[in-house]
Amino acid sequence: MPVSDQRDRYPTRLSEPAPHIERTDASVWGQVTSPELAGFHANGFATIPDLLTPDEVAAFGAEIGHLAADPVLYGDERVVVEPVAGQVRSVFQVHQLSNPIAELLTESRIVGLAEQILGSPVYLHQTRVNYMPGFGGSGFAWHSDFETWHAEDGMPAPRAVSLSIALTDNYPFNGSLMMMPGSHRTFVPCLGETPTGHYRESLREQRIGIPTPDDITFLAARYGITQFTGRAGSALLFDSNLMHGSSNNITPFPRSNIFLVFNSVENALVEPFAAPQRRPQHIAARDFTPVRDVPESVGALADQTL
């Protein structure tokens, strides 16, 4: 159900610098009942310790290990490879490649977190597994996910959240996510025209749609920087406009996570606001079926030949 208001309230990918835009959209649209989410409005994120049990961590860790090692997947467009090390960086549309992940994301302990924040039924905008191997995992430049989803996917407003579920321990030194608490309230317009097929390069190393060093310096002085650390099984739920990034992993300790993006059905995608064409479905889904209405066989594609 696409929204009727298609005005561009968050212009970006500009030819000249523009002032930051203070957010007028809500950051919490629903009724928060989970104690872990109490600070979401102020910070733009919340941590959920022990979202998965140790047995679940082991099972999902084995599952994503099989995906990364599957030779059939190499060459598939859903697989992104590290630009230097040549190892798997991300696997997209993972809920259609893994029945266990498909079943997990429909559970109330998972989808219910997004529904509380977004105040409506939610659908899957994107799913992926992120791998950051030891001695070769490259980081992610400072960015707001919403800037890309707005510019290249046509997401009207920052009414989406990401749930990152850690399958390995997150230390301060193995490329764990850095965040600026409260930065979800400030939208930073970025410079540069979006090239055709930009997603092919940006998923490996993003250079367009990222703030300038001056922008990051200003935001860091205003909001500060914190880091998501914790043992495997913990999770981070964060606002689509939260400024975040990570450094390279030069340690022997890998870092991997299941990454689920939930968007409100009342914030469904329209045409891209600052790109010549839509990104493919495996990156930006246009099936707006609420997660709770998806049949249990959602992961049936996992058994099909790629």
Side-chain angles (χ1 to χ4, degrees):
M1 63 180 71
V3 296
S4 58
D5 184 358
Q6 298 183 21
R7 295 173 299 159
D8 187 356
R9 296 186 292 113
Y10 296 95
T12 188
R13 309 291 169 96
L14 307 176
S15 58
E16 299 290 338
H20 296 172
I21 299 172
E22 294 305 308
R23 178 175 181 155
T24 56
D25 288 290
S27 54
V28 175
W29 301 73
Q31 184 69 37
V32 170
T33 57
S34 298
E36 299 94 338
L37 303 185
F40 193 95
H41 171 73
N43 295 322
F45 67 88
T47 57
I48 303 96
D50 303 319
L51 183 64
L52 299 186
T53 67
D55 287 345
E56 288 175 320
V57 169
F60 284 113
E63 181 77 3
I64 71 164
H66 293 323
L67 290 176
D70 188 346
V72 178
L73 276 174
Y74 274 79
D76 188 281
E77 194 175 31
R78 289 170 287 189
V79 177
V80 180
V81 177
E82 287 282 358
V84 177
Q87 297 169 288
V88 173
R89 177 178 173 87
S90 301
V91 177
F92 282 80
Q93 215 171 39
V94 70
H95 68 293
Q96 293 192 0
L97 298 172
S98 166
N99 278 305
I101 293 176
E103 293 166 1
L104 173 70
L105 63 86
T106 63
E107 294 184 17
S108 292
R109 62 173 165 157
I110 305 296
V111 67
L113 296 170
E115 290 170 336
Q116 289 179 56
I117 298 299
L118 301 181
S120 72
V122 298
Y123 74 92
L124 284 169
H125 173 68
Q126 183 187 103
T127 68
R128 67 182 187 266
V129 172
N130 284 337
Y131 304 84
M132 184 175 280
F135 300 123
S138 55
F140 293 84
W142 285 105
H143 67 287
S144 148
D145 290 327
F146 174 66
E147 192 281 338
T148 294
W149 299 341
H150 181 72
E152 300 189 38
D153 299 333
M155 184 179 287
R159 193 175 177 180
V161 292
S162 298
L163 181 67
S164 176
I165 306 174
L167 297 181
T168 52
D169 292 341
N170 281 244
Y171 301 109
F173 45 75
N174 68 336
S176 59
L177 202 68
M178 296 181 289
M179 305 163 290
M180 297 186 182
S183 61
H184 63 302
R185 296 192 294 269
T186 302
F187 179 80
V188 180
C190 295
L191 300 175
E193 185 176 347
T194 309
T196 300
H198 176 240
Y199 70 93
R200 292 186 177 91
E201 293 301 321
S202 66
L203 296 178
R204 289 161 56 87
E205 183 179 6
Q206 188 171 0
R207 297 182 179 180
I208 296 175
I210 59 175
T212 67
D214 286 345
D215 290 323
I216 294 302
T217 300
F218 174 84
L219 292 178
R222 181 177 183 183
Y223 296 116
I225 296 174
T226 190
Q227 200 168 19
F228 172 56
T229 58
R231 62 188 178 189
S234 58
L236 175 73
L237 185 75
F238 63 98
D239 185 275
S240 59
N241 192 49
L242 186 74
M243 194 62 66
H244 62 286
S246 61
S247 58
N248 296 344
N249 183 11
I250 62 172
T251 76
F253 306 108
R255 184 176 72 86
S256 59
N257 64 294
I258 299 172
F259 198 88
L260 309 172
V261 180
F262 297 99
N263 189 26
S264 168
V265 296
E266 299 172 7
N267 191 44
L269 307 185
V270 293
E271 292 305 309
F273 286 94
Q277 59 190 176
R278 298 176 176 182
R279 296 197 298 176
Q281 284 272 359
H282 67 273
I283 299 174
R286 290 180 180 267
D287 177 358
F288 308 133
T289 305
V291 169
R292 292 187 186 271
D293 294 343
V294 174
E296 291 185 3
S297 59
V298 66
L301 290 180
D303 300 323
Q304 297 183 6
T305 301
L306 297 172

